[in-house]
Amino acid sequence: MKRSVLVALFLLGGCVSQVPMGPSLTPTAHTDFRHDTLALTWQPGFCATGGGCEWDQTHRISIGLHGLWASEPHSLEAQGVPVQEWWSKGCDLYDHNDTPPQLLPTTVEALRGVVPHLKKPLYVHEYTKHARCFGYDADHFFVTSMQMRDRLAASAFGLWLSQQVGFQVNRDDMLATFARLMNVRDSRALQVRCEPAHNGQMVLTQLWFTLDPKKLSRFPYEGAYLSSPDDQNGCPATFLVPGWTLSGQAAQRP
């Protein structure tokens, strides 16, 4: 990486003590949960795995939005509901309702710019499973989630990640770089997810951030995070950070 880029990144990383406030989100129902998970996609990897993305997938950005997920409410834990069942069913544990959220056209258009394009709109699934039972206004929920994505993409870590395209990276080095640049000391504040691409390479697909629901406005800077109670890192020791043109061979660092 060029020295000028490194200097800029560390200067940005050194400024995190002055935390600029961002968007916040307050649930009005089932508020007894410990943490939120902000799931961001690494779009080139996400779209190169599994069923892939639709033909109209935008290549304008690399860091996309998957969703914002509340952890299992304590009331369900008290009933003996396993966390895995909460992960699987979400709001359906309270009642089943697949009615799509009513969103402003501008919100839908903005979501199309940052959410992976799947056969069924991902934002509908994200709202019905992860948001509707918490009483969030649908527009505010998604606008807040998108603003949080924007702030991470523009942060020192987001800029660093954009410089890794085409390279094999070390998982522990990536996590340590995140902790250093963003001044985060919570273990498993960030967890990374990988899957095999269609050419067989193991590639980065998602970034999962464990957050304090009362401090979302501080994200992606210090003070926003909690230590995840579950180890959900899904990447091997080294993996590829792919670009939109996923080749069969990772680039070599100079």
Side-chain angles (χ1 to χ4, degrees):
M1 190 185 301
K2 292 182 179 180
R3 186 173 183 273
S4 60
V5 175
L6 280 172
V7 171
L9 288 173
F10 281 99
L11 284 175
L12 283 169
C15 296
V16 296
S17 59
Q18 299 178 356
V19 178
M21 292 294 102
S24 62
L25 192 66
T26 303
T28 60
H30 307 299
T31 60
D32 57 328
F33 60 91
R34 177 182 179 273
H35 67 268
D36 278 310
T37 297
L38 178 67
L40 301 182
T41 54
W42 183 256
Q43 301 276 56
F46 192 91
C47 290
T49 60
C53 297
E54 293 294 277
W55 63 270
D56 60 351
Q57 172 67 46
T58 177
H59 292 187
R60 183 178 58 84
I61 63 170
S62 292
I63 297 176
L65 173 67
H66 187 164
L68 183 63
W69 312 328
S71 61
E72 183 180 5
H74 300 320
S75 56
L76 291 181
E77 292 177 336
Q79 296 172 33
V81 176
V83 67
Q84 292 81 7
E85 188 172 356
W86 171 251
W87 293 343
S88 173
K89 297 180 180 178
C91 289
D92 280 349
L93 287 174
Y94 294 108
D95 65 278
H96 184 80
N97 186 344
D98 289 335
T99 303
Q102 298 299 307
L103 299 174
L104 293 171
T106 52
T107 304
V108 174
E109 184 62 25
L111 286 169
R112 286 186 56 79
V114 297
V115 174
H117 293 191
L118 305 182
K119 290 183 179 179
K120 295 183 179 180
L122 180 59
Y123 74 86
V124 174
H125 168 79
E126 290 302 301
Y127 181 79
T128 57
K129 180 179 179 182
H130 297 290
R132 63 177 174 81
C133 57
F134 293 96
Y136 297 121
D137 172 80
D139 268 292
H140 184 59
F141 174 79
F142 284 115
V143 168
T144 297
S145 301
M146 288 188 285
Q147 289 174 338
M148 294 173 69
R149 184 221 74 90
D150 293 346
R151 284 164 63 85
L152 185 281
S155 71
F157 177 69
L159 296 175
W160 175 86
L161 186 57
S162 71
Q163 296 295 319
Q164 309 311 305
V165 172
F167 294 115
Q168 292 279 349
V169 300
N170 179 278
R171 179 194 61 226
D172 292 340
D173 287 349
M174 174 181 282
L175 297 177
T177 298
F178 163 74
R180 182 176 68 252
L181 291 178
M182 308 312 294
N183 199 26
V184 175
R185 297 178 179 83
D186 304 273
S187 62
R188 295 201 295 257
L190 167 63
Q191 302 194 78
V192 289
R193 308 285 294 178
C194 294
E195 293 183 48
H198 300 147
N199 65 3
Q201 286 184 294
M202 190 63 72
V203 299
L204 177 68
T205 59
Q206 297 194 66
L207 309 161
W208 289 3
F209 300 91
T210 303
L211 306 177
D212 185 333
K214 296 181 176 62
K215 298 180 180 179
L216 297 185
S217 63
R218 299 179 68 90
F219 179 80
Y221 302 103
E222 59 179 311
Y225 301 92
L226 294 172
S227 298
S228 173
D230 303 293
D231 185 352
Q232 294 180 288
N233 272 303
C235 288
T238 60
F239 53 89
L240 177 69
V241 179
W244 280 110
T245 304
L246 180 58
S247 65
Q249 188 72 30
Q252 298 298 312
R253 293 188 182 277

